[in-house]
Amino acid sequence: MSENYLENQYLQIKNQIPEGVQLVAVSKFHSAEKIKLIYDLGQKVFGENKVQELVEKYEILPKDIEWHLIGHLQTNKVKYIAPFVNSIQSVDSEKVLKEIDKEALKNSRAINVLLQVKIAEEDSKFGLTIPETEQIYNEYLNGDFPNIKITGLMGMATFTEDKVQVRSEFLKLKTLFNKLNQLQKLETLSMGMSDDFKLAVECSSNSVRIGSAIFGDRE
Ligand SMILES: *Cc1c(COP(=O)(O)O)cnc(C)c1O
């Protein structure tokens, strides 16, 4: 793939995203060189799904990149990203939340997290149930986890052509978002990937995570 192709892909996607909606460029499996090309066009927010890959890229790329972890996080790996990660979008258990809180304190910094909610039908997807999400948010509002900031919710719809189903899954998350938002204001509703981001934005997503539509198929 040529440099121009990548730059065009990026600009094309960027142009399709309404103002006020954040674009997280998902760079997993793609090289630091490719990330740098997109960075030079003004993209500062990138998402990775593996801790080791995230740390390696963090070390060699410009320090004003805002890194988001979007993949399942094991408790014993939180310490590697706690010093620099901007947001952990994939919090899917209370156990990992406690560990993030602990590491945030150790590093004297607040870490933003999103609670990942399971909205898809597929069994394979990680995520909290809706009742678990509400319970954790209430604990958070009661002062548990003082070193982190829960800034919103993240969800992934079922991988299907069935738009009616995808829409209903997105709306399920939006409804939960509105409910929790009434307790205390939340900033980020992270829904939508390469194949479904337009639908997600229609369903009130204000942060989309786009990989292959920018970078091409993963190597
Ligand atoms: C890989 C990934 C994406 C991006 O997927 P594309 O279909 O390549 O846009 C978004 N969110 C999560 C959680 C991912 O793992």
Side-chain angles (χ1 to χ4, degrees):
M1 190 166 54
S2 75
E3 291 187 5
N4 273 339
Y5 180 81
L6 180 58
E7 291 172 351
N8 286 338
Q9 288 287 107
Y10 169 73
L11 293 172
Q12 233 181 58
I13 291 293
K14 183 75 190 155
N15 283 335
Q16 291 175 56
I17 295 175
E19 225 177 288
V21 176
Q22 177 185 53
L23 168 60
V24 178
V26 175
S27 47
K28 63 189 185 198
F29 305 121
H30 293 286
S31 66
E33 288 75 19
K34 282 189 184 177
I35 297 174
K36 185 65 169 48
L37 284 173
I38 306 291
Y39 170 88
D40 287 338
L41 296 175
Q43 178 68 27
K44 296 284 141 60
V45 185
F46 289 89
E48 289 282 336
N49 71 335
K50 293 212 165 64
V51 165
Q52 192 183 340
E53 194 174 336
L54 173 56
V55 171
E56 284 168 12
K57 287 172 176 170
Y58 165 73
E59 281 168 0
I60 56 177
L61 282 158
K63 290 296 174 283
D64 64 338
I65 288 181
E66 188 183 295
W67 291 104
H68 291 221
L69 184 78
I70 60 170
H72 177 67
L73 176 59
Q74 286 172 284
T75 309
N76 62 350
K77 293 192 175 162
V78 174
K79 58 176 178 283
Y80 301 117
I81 56 170
F84 69 88
V85 74
N86 179 276
S87 177
I88 299 173
Q89 295 208 5
S90 42
V91 170
D92 57 8
S93 73
E94 194 167 333
K95 190 167 151 236
V96 79
L97 198 59
K98 278 193 180 130
E99 184 66 19
I100 297 167
D101 186 62
K102 200 174 99 193
E103 287 297 325
L105 177 62
K106 261 195 211 163
N107 287 277
S108 316
R109 64 188 296 263
I111 297 176
N112 299 318
V113 308
L114 304 185
L115 300 178
Q116 181 177 352
V117 186
K118 185 175 149 58
I119 51 172
E121 265 178 12
E122 296 145 302
D123 279 339
S124 59
K125 300 250 160 92
F126 288 105
L128 299 158
T129 64
I130 288 174
E132 285 167 347
T133 309
E134 293 187 284
Q135 192 194 326
I136 290 180
Y137 195 58
N138 277 312
E139 289 169 8
Y140 166 73
L141 294 181
N142 285 333
D144 293 3
F145 324 116
N147 307 293
I148 56 170
K149 192 167 174 221
I150 296 181
T151 55
L153 303 178
M154 186 270 260
M156 259 191 283
T158 303
F159 185 69
T160 171
E161 298 282 299
D162 183 352
K163 290 226 155 88
V164 175
Q165 182 179 351
V166 171
R167 181 187 293 274
S168 93
E169 292 173 358
F170 284 153
L171 291 177
K172 209 172 6 174
L173 191 60
K174 180 203 168 181
T175 303
L176 178 63
F177 181 87
N178 288 345
K179 190 172 171 190
L180 301 187
N181 191 44
Q182 283 178 345
L183 302 174
Q184 183 176 301
K185 188 133 186 61
L186 289 170
E187 289 157 22
T188 306
L189 179 54
S190 172
M191 324 189 278
M193 318 187 357
S194 291
D195 291 333
D196 58 17
F197 74 89
K198 285 188 186 148
L199 189 51
V201 169
E202 279 173 35
C203 296
S204 309
S205 168
N206 63 8
S207 181
V208 294
R209 311 175 308 273
I210 300 185
S212 44
I214 297 172
F215 289 97
D217 289 333
R218 287 179 266 284
E219 288 147 15

